[in-house]
Amino acid sequence: MQKAAIFLGFVPWIVFSVVAGPSTWMWAALAALLCSLILSVPSWRSTRSISVLDAAGLVFFGALVVLALVLDRATLQPIEDRAQLLSSIVIALVALGSLAVGRPFTEYYARQQTPREYWNSPTFKQINRVITAVWGLVFVLNALCDAAVAYLGVNSDIFNWVVPIVAIVAAVKFTGWYPDHVTGRNQPQGAHEASSPPAQPA
């Protein structure tokens, strides 16, 4: 359940990453914005809140759509050339920024599956800090790969696909393993659920 929730949170960013290119980034931004709206509206209706990933997606992709509508092609050229890199930087800043302010982004998803009385427990906080830090590092690595392609002229599938995918798969595995490692499999079920944060590919 939690892995599915976190995966949905990354759908807009995945859509943008796959579709965005020098001639398609505007359509990619619009598709990603629509995905963000589809994901955030039900959350807002049921809880009067949305995840930081959804909020960042609405702002970032919305801004790209507005820029595409109001600026001319020449002015937009730098964005066209660096659209994927920009999205990687933004999502890395979101993850690490949420950690820096003491609200790891994984907490939003973990709280959907965890009784409120566990939200402030040291174990719950520790697990979400560690997993958010791991994902933040994955996003930084993805941004570095995009920068290598954009600025060093490295046009290799290794940087475009292999390294990011391997890093994401490793982070997903870690996210599934770490809560059990910290809490132990013999913990009462409620305590285990309280400390299990979500997993996320993207």
Side-chain angles (χ1 to χ4, degrees), residues 9 41 51 60 87 98 107 138 183 201:
V41 169
S51 72
F60 178 68
S87 69
S98 72
E107 280 193 7
V138 168
T183 62

Side-chain angles (χ1 to χ4, degrees), residues 156-173:
S156 170
D157 289 340
I158 293 177
F159 288 95
N160 278 324
W161 298 104
V162 176
V163 173
I165 289 174
V166 169
I168 288 169
V169 170
V172 170
K173 296 290 187 181

Side-chain angles (χ1 to χ4, degrees), residues 79-161:
I79 297 177
E80 290 190 8
D81 296 338
R82 306 290 185 264
Q84 189 165 329
L85 173 60
L86 287 173
S87 69
S88 296
I89 291 173
V90 168
I91 199 169
L93 290 175
V94 168
L96 296 178
S98 72
L99 188 63
V101 300
R103 292 295 300 272
F105 79 89
T106 58
E107 280 193 7
Y108 176 86
Y109 303 98
R111 289 181 178 187
Q112 308 304 309
Q113 306 296 319
T114 303
R116 181 179 290 272
E117 59 264 29
Y118 296 108
W119 290 1
N120 293 317
S121 70
T123 302
F124 182 88
K125 295 292 186 181
Q126 175 191 344
I127 289 176
N128 282 285
R129 284 196 300 269
V130 171
I131 291 181
T132 295
V134 168
W135 280 106
L137 292 176
V138 168
F139 300 144
V140 169
L141 177 61
N142 289 349
L144 291 175
C145 289
D146 291 335
V149 174
Y151 291 104
L152 301 181
V154 178
N155 292 316
S156 170
D157 289 340
I158 293 177
F159 288 95
N160 278 324
W161 298 104

Side-chain angles (χ1 to χ4, degrees), residues 13-56:
W13 304 89
I14 294 172
V15 168
F16 185 79
S17 178
V18 170
V19 178
S23 61
T24 61
W25 71 272
M26 292 178 286
W27 297 108
L30 181 58
L33 178 60
L34 291 175
C35 287
S36 296
L37 286 170
I38 291 171
L39 291 172
S40 61
V41 169
S43 296
W44 179 258
R45 285 181 174 177
S46 61
T47 65
R48 291 304 178 198
S49 65
I50 61 174
S51 72
V52 66
L53 290 181
D54 289 340

Side-chain angles (χ1 to χ4, degrees), residues 172-198:
V172 170
K173 296 290 187 181
F174 179 84
T175 302
W177 166 82
Y178 187 67
D180 285 338
H181 171 71
V182 171
T183 62
R185 294 183 180 276
N186 296 323
Q187 290 281 346
Q189 183 176 357
H192 179 269
E193 290 176 352
S195 58
S196 285

